Amino acid sequence: MKLSLVVPCYNEAENVKNFHDAVVSAFEGCGYEYEIVFVDDGSRDATLHNLKKLYRNEVTEIKIISFSRNFGKEAALYAGMEHADGDYISLIDADLQQRPEIVREMVAHLESHPEFDVVAAYQDRRGEGKILSLFKRSFYAVINKMSDVKLYNAASDFRTFRRSVMESILEMGEYHRFSKGIFSWVGYETHYIPYTACERVAGTTKWSFRKLMNYAIDGIIGFSTRPLRFASYLGSLTAISALIYLIVVVIQKLFFGIALPGYATIVVLILLLGSMQLFCIGIIGEYVGRTFEQSKHRPIYLAKEVLDRSKK
Ligand code: UDP
Ligand code: MG
């Protein structure tokens, strides 16, 4: 039995050595083989340099995939899984917010419970601000209403699964990767365990509000076509309202002889309809754009260097 730890690293120079040591001590005497697949996601600091040092020391089995530029965490996870050859795969961050000891528990759980294929950790307490937390909760409320996949709010992509699950995930070759949706889409029996995220040891989080926002939109567009239907509904609704108003106007004119001064109404209606149309074009545009990008069949990532002793 073998475990592969897939670790995306973006500007984590101060963390990779600590992370490596934490893994080594957590898995001491575990009784099975394990490897660490580091993916350097185009870091601009000494991450790759430090990873290579670990690689040369040969304390444990390490693979390094180094991207030609920053492709994002989702791409890094994909690349890592492609190079992982364990029977169990674990996705874990390099910043030690997720303790490697938990991975050991996850593996033990999968070993003793053949009915489960995935063990996913969710954060029971989060140290994030009220506004962000409100924003995240509303995002999950919206996406769970709109899409066919069900997303679990606190569930992170800190998880361990069987090789069969990994193969299913890799089969999903979409360019815009939204891993939470992908995990949910592939199915399999998932067991959830709580964990408390630790403070980042060093470095800063790579998530800005804008990145989170884009991630949210990716999630909704990638796993639902309901926004498109929403555009049709909106169109039908305005058509019906327009018809009703037309009848009202005709009756007013014919039976009550009311003059119809309509400057304000017209301006408001033009603005309203114009903005609705732009809004719907925007929605369609999101889908067209994604279709365009996917149709180019660009690779999800480009590796400039792969260090893997098993391949030589
Ligand atoms: N990461 C990455 N590419 C990116 C952004 C992040 O590989 O473009 C990695 C990062 O190095 C870390 C993990 O993804 O190992 C989680 O990132 P971060 O800690 O910034 O996210 P948070 O824990 O704040 O959600
Ligand atoms: Mg983190």
Side-chain angles (χ1 to χ4, degrees), residues 69-90:
R69 63 167 169 87
N70 180 245
F71 280 88
K73 181 180 177 184
E74 305 287 331
L77 291 177
Y78 187 87
M81 284 191 273
E82 273 192 329
H83 286 84
D85 54 18
D87 308 296
Y88 294 103
I89 318 294
S90 188

Side-chain angles (χ1 to χ4, degrees), residues 93 95 97 200:
D93 291 352
D95 53 12
Q97 285 186 298
R200 231 174 192 285

Side-chain angles (χ1 to χ4, degrees), residues 35-72:
E35 63 171 359
I36 311 178
V37 186
F38 284 110
V39 184
D40 164 39
D41 186 9
S43 302
R44 274 184 288 268
D45 62 1
T47 303
L48 184 60
H49 177 78
N50 294 355
L51 286 176
K52 282 183 175 167
K53 255 198 266 177
L54 294 173
Y55 183 80
R56 281 193 299 272
N57 287 347
E58 285 191 64
V59 179
T60 92
E61 194 182 333
I62 287 180
K63 290 173 184 166
I64 300 172
I65 300 123
S66 178
F67 285 0
S68 58
R69 63 167 169 87
N70 180 245
F71 280 88

Side-chain angles (χ1 to χ4, degrees), residues 12 73 93-98 197-200 204-207:
E12 304 280 6
K73 181 180 177 184
D93 291 352
D95 53 12
L96 284 173
Q97 285 186 298
Q98 305 163 341
C198 314
E199 283 295 310
R200 231 174 192 285
T204 51
T205 176
K206 275 85 197 174
W207 288 102

Side-chain angles (χ1 to χ4, degrees), residues 82-130:
E82 273 192 329
H83 286 84
D85 54 18
D87 308 296
Y88 294 103
I89 318 294
S90 188
L91 311 181
I92 180 169
D93 291 352
D95 53 12
L96 284 173
Q97 285 186 298
Q98 305 163 341
R99 291 201 332 277
E101 290 82 16
I102 303 175
V103 177
R104 203 166 157 175
E105 286 166 30
M106 289 170 160
V107 174
H109 190 93
L110 286 177
E111 285 273 88
S112 57
H113 295 80
E115 70 273 22
F116 285 111
D117 298 301
V118 183
V119 179
Y122 68 89
Q123 292 190 33
D124 48 358
R125 258 180 311 117
R126 283 210 216 208
E128 60 194 20
K130 283 220 169 63

